[in-house]
Amino acid sequence: MAEGLVMVKKKSLAHYRAKRDFKTSPEPKGDTIKSSKKPIFVIQKHKATQLHYDVRLEIDGVLVSWAVPKGPSTDPTVKRLAVRTEDHPFEYAQFEGIIPEGNYGAGTVMVWDRGTYKNIKMKSGKLVPMNECLKNGQVEVWLEGKKLQGGYVFIEIRPEKNQWLLKKIDDEMADARRNPVSTEPDSALTGRTMDEIAQDNNELILRM
Ligand code: MN
């Protein structure tokens, strides 16, 4: 296999697919086998029943995902609840648009931040593979995004409820004065606002 190419774990997308009707939702099915050389991350702002931020890390060709109601913070003293959700296909990182009414997760989806990440979880002087980090409930990554940079840690707190905490590591990129969730609300992919994404989608439908 070519370097940097990872087989998608199709089985891990079973939950994702079971929840969706791809005849009525424009979301990707996840058929492509695809992985970037450097693993990617994406944070999607999702205005569903409740506004939340879906933080996704590429691991073994799929996007391992957490829903973070308040979004990530750059302040290392702030802990944010992160609820682990179903793995999403790699192509989902490019998805920005509307999930139509009546579908699972109906509402507007924006690519709020995107970039690459590095695993930084060490044990006895060695990097712990991401899969093991997930199993152990302790993930540590260095993000290189447009809005978020530096170390973040995910700590599993209530496995039976899929509850984790997301926290900024206190490193040189930590900044308690920044609040990108409110000061940088627009798309990292297209620069659009949530309203513009909804508007563009309606115009697309009217033209069809
Ligand atoms: Mn969501």
Side-chain angles (χ1 to χ4, degrees):
M1 212 188 296
E3 194 196 343
L5 198 70
V6 179
M7 293 289 290
V8 172
K9 288 191 302 175
K10 298 241 165 184
K11 237 171 89 184
S12 96
L13 294 177
H15 289 294
Y16 172 86
R17 288 180 180 142
K19 288 180 177 192
R20 290 167 176 81
D21 179 355
F22 297 103
K23 288 191 199 79
T24 56
S25 173
E27 296 167 291
K29 264 179 91 174
D31 289 327
T32 327
I33 296 166
K34 168 92 182 78
S35 178
S36 49
K37 231 170 203 178
K38 276 188 181 175
I40 62 154
F41 83 94
V42 65
I43 301 176
Q44 279 154 322
K45 188 169 167 179
H46 185 186
K47 198 176 167 193
T49 317
Q50 297 260 318
L51 179 76
H52 60 272
Y53 293 76
D54 291 301
V55 180
R56 312 188 198 278
L57 302 176
E58 179 196 350
I59 300 173
D60 292 342
V62 296
L63 301 177
V64 172
S65 301
W66 290 264
V68 182
K70 291 184 177 172
S73 174
T74 53
D75 181 346
T77 66
V78 171
K79 296 185 188 91
R80 292 279 156 87
L81 177 69
V83 180
R84 176 108 187 254
T85 57
E86 75 275 21
D87 295 348
H88 278 50
F90 181 80
E91 305 97 290
Y92 208 93
Q94 297 288 328
F95 180 71
E96 185 170 276
I98 303 281
I99 303 171
E101 217 47 58
N103 287 280
Y104 178 72
T108 312
V109 177
M110 168 198 281
V111 175
W112 181 76
D113 199 12
R114 63 201 288 255
T116 57
Y117 81 87
K118 242 184 351 205
N119 177 14
I120 55 169
K121 179 68 184 174
M122 305 284 288
K123 198 181 172 186
S124 324
K126 275 189 186 167
L127 270 181
V128 182
M130 287 299 282
N131 264 323
E132 248 173 76
C133 293
L134 277 179
K135 266 184 233 147
N136 299 340
Q138 287 208 17
V139 171
E140 279 181 39
V141 288
W142 181 275
L143 304 182
E144 294 284 352
K146 283 194 170 179
K147 294 169 184 166
L148 301 186
Q149 293 90 29
Y152 277 84
V153 59
F154 295 77
I155 303 160
E156 192 171 36
I157 48 164
R158 283 185 206 96
E160 72 284 4
K161 288 186 169 175
N162 298 319
Q163 289 180 359
W164 297 55
L165 289 176
L166 172 63
K167 197 170 158 295
K168 178 80 196 75
I169 294 172
D170 198 357
D171 54 30
E172 68 269 29
M173 302 312 292
D175 189 345
R177 293 160 307 175
R178 271 185 78 202
N179 188 7
V181 161
S182 62
T183 61
E184 299 169 59
D186 303 335
S187 170
L189 189 66
T190 61
R192 294 183 296 174
T193 64
M194 287 301 256
D195 286 348
E196 282 166 348
I197 294 167
Q199 183 69 35
D200 290 351
N201 195 75
N202 288 339
E203 282 168 15
L204 201 72
I205 288 166
L206 285 174
R207 272 190 266 125
M208 289 199 305

